[in-house]
Amino acid sequence: EVFKVVPISKVFGIIEWVRDSDTTLGQMIGNGVMRLPKKNQDQKHSQILEDMMAQCAENVKGKKPTAEDYSDMIENANSSQFAEKMKRFVKIQEMLPLTTLRDGLMSKAQTAQLEFQVRKNFALSLSASSCCQYILGIGDRHVENILVNDRNGKILAIDFGHAFGSATQLLPIQELMPFRLTRQMVGVLAPLEPHGLLKRSMTYVMSALRANHDVLRRTLEIFASDPTVDWLKYANRPSAPKVGGITQWIAATKIEALDQKLEGMHPSEVMRNELLKCTHEKPRKAAQDMRSGLNRVVCGESGSLRRKLLEESASRTKPYILNPKEQVDVLVEQATDPAVLCCTYRGWSPWL
């Protein structure tokens, strides 16, 4: 699903209303929760989601973990304590049946044929939006920033306040996932899961985007003369390089990141490059040390696909360029990795 935007001035404009798409992903999961059988008469369905949020926060540290708590957790990602936190996070996810979002989506599908079409629409729209969000560095994909068409199952992304990698570079709790692909979203695709319809569709989309590299690059170059508010904020930070034409320099780094993604650079390397330009000192320094906990989370554990491909690239004289299928495989692995999700800000609802 797409929508039109008509700018009126620099501060406001008109956004098209998309029919049947006024339900957020969070509300759709809530619809599925309401269909769950109660354990007892006094139980409130909303209590399940509240308990999951509380336990996820406790898994980091206390009822309201700070940005420093999340940073400390990532710093200790090589420890046995972090491994235990990962296991607890997986158990928290499993408090909600895998089919909860699927049940909410299928509530209006009266036949098996309609259920099949809803699942297909969900997968195809998810594959297109995920690839585009990765290429453009769009973050902050929490459950209220994704709308779902409650008739055909297509998803609609909204609120692009964090784009071009700003959710990784500017936020106090850095986002380390390329897009949203959580357990409940994977559950909609069952029994195929990400390895079937989703990955195949994403590979086609990624191939099309890479084939139109020049068109996308020229479009982004417009921002060099008219930078976003986030870019200006990034330019005015105390640690920004004191060079002439700072906004042009920032635009050049954003275009470079887009080039790297469209050329097939390993997604973990792209993210490390973004973290090296982070406004916060701790993750910026951690990104420089390949043995740090941050790099363990971003690059994957030993034996993971993204770690294997990184090691293969390091053994070559020239950088190893991933083909679209390899690129998608790595992105899906990173987006679904419990190590990434368990240290994600709780307001993002990574357990859903």
Side-chain angles (χ1 to χ4, degrees):
E1 292 278 9
V2 296
F3 56 90
K4 297 175 182 177
V5 178
V6 180
I8 304 298
S9 74
K10 288 187 176 182
V11 293
F12 70 92
I14 300 173
I15 300 177
E16 179 186 6
W17 181 271
V18 183
R19 286 188 177 184
D20 302 318
S21 296
D22 56 348
T23 304
T24 67
L25 187 68
Q27 290 171 330
M28 191 63 75
I29 292 172
N31 292 344
V33 171
M34 293 298 292
R35 298 165 69 88
L36 295 175
K38 287 187 177 183
K39 293 181 180 178
N40 57 67
Q41 195 65 29
D42 298 327
Q43 183 194 34
K44 293 182 179 179
H45 284 105
S46 60
Q47 191 62 44
I48 300 173
L49 300 179
E50 291 172 10
D51 289 346
M52 292 177 77
M53 175 177 277
Q55 289 190 37
C56 205
E58 190 67 36
N59 195 38
V60 179
K61 187 178 180 181
K63 293 182 179 180
K64 293 184 179 180
T66 64
E68 190 67 23
D69 293 329
Y70 283 96
S71 182
D72 291 342
M73 182 178 175
I74 295 172
E75 188 177 354
N76 295 315
N78 292 315
S79 68
S80 57
Q81 184 184 21
F82 183 82
E84 288 301 316
K85 288 180 180 289
M86 274 179 54
K87 291 178 183 178
R88 282 198 293 271
F89 176 78
V90 171
K91 288 183 178 179
I92 293 168
Q93 285 182 306
E94 293 171 351
M95 289 173 63
L96 210 57
L98 181 62
T99 58
T100 304
L101 173 57
R102 182 185 176 121
D103 291 342
L105 272 171
M106 302 301 178
S107 60
K108 292 187 179 180
Q110 302 299 319
T111 66
Q113 184 178 4
L114 285 174
E115 286 190 4
F116 177 82
Q117 191 61 48
V118 166
R119 185 185 67 174
K120 181 180 178 181
N121 288 341
F122 182 87
L124 293 179
S125 58
L126 178 62
S127 63
S129 64
S130 296
C131 288
C132 293
Q133 286 165 28
Y134 168 66
I135 295 298
L136 295 175
I138 295 171
D140 199 27
R141 298 296 89 199
H142 57 74
V143 293
E144 303 305 313
N145 274 348
I146 299 174
L147 302 181
V148 184
N149 187 307
D150 56 12
R151 290 188 178 274
N152 61 28
K154 292 182 180 180
I155 67 169
L156 177 72
I158 61 171
D159 189 353
F160 306 125
H162 282 287
F164 307 114
S166 69
T168 301
Q169 294 178 331
L170 300 182
L171 290 178
I173 302 172
Q174 293 74 43
E175 289 192 359
L176 304 178
M177 75 295 291
F179 42 76
R180 187 180 189 92
L181 185 60
T182 52
R183 181 174 180 269
Q184 285 300 318
M185 300 178 83
V186 171
V188 176
L189 308 173
L192 299 177
E193 299 183 345
H195 309 291
L197 182 60
L198 182 71
K199 277 190 177 181
R200 187 170 68 248
S201 301
M202 285 183 69
T203 302
Y204 290 141
V205 174
M206 192 64 75
S207 298
L209 291 171
R210 288 173 62 166
N212 290 277
H213 184 162
D214 291 342
V215 176
L216 292 168
R217 194 182 197 282
R218 284 197 296 271
T219 302
L220 188 59
E221 284 175 348
I222 296 171
F223 290 93
S225 56
D226 188 13
T228 68
V229 173
D230 284 336
W231 293 13
L232 294 174
K233 185 190 298 183
Y234 183 68
N236 293 327
R237 77 193 196 283
S239 58
K242 307 303 179 186
V243 297
I246 181 65
T247 54
Q248 284 71 28
W249 175 81
I250 291 171
T253 64
K254 302 297 183 182
I255 294 171
E256 180 186 23
L258 179 123
D259 285 339
Q260 291 170 348
K261 293 173 182 178
L262 291 173
E263 288 166 1
M265 179 182 278
H266 194 298
S268 296
E269 281 292 337
V270 175
M271 181 159 286
R272 282 189 65 248
N273 290 341
E274 290 182 333
L275 288 165
L276 288 170
K277 302 180 183 75
C278 182
T279 56
H280 304 278
E281 184 179 11
K282 199 169 185 178
R284 191 168 64 246
K285 286 185 175 180
Q288 298 172 15
D289 181 6
M290 283 303 296
R291 295 171 298 177
S292 68
L294 178 62
N295 275 307
R296 180 259 180 258
V297 173
V298 171
C299 301
E301 63 182 354
S302 178
S304 66
L305 175 64
R306 57 190 193 276
R307 178 71 70 172
K308 178 183 175 182
L309 290 174
L310 278 173
E311 291 171 351
E312 186 173 339
S313 178
S315 65
R316 300 189 179 196
T317 53
K318 292 183 179 180
Y320 179 60
I321 300 301
L322 306 186
N323 61 45
K325 182 182 182 303
E326 290 173 325
Q327 192 175 17
V328 166
D329 286 341
V330 168
L331 288 169
V332 169
E333 182 190 80
Q334 186 171 347
T336 56
D337 188 352
V340 172
L341 295 174
C342 78
C343 51
T344 297
Y345 175 54
R346 64 194 179 99
W348 198 84
S349 303
W351 56 89
L352 298 178

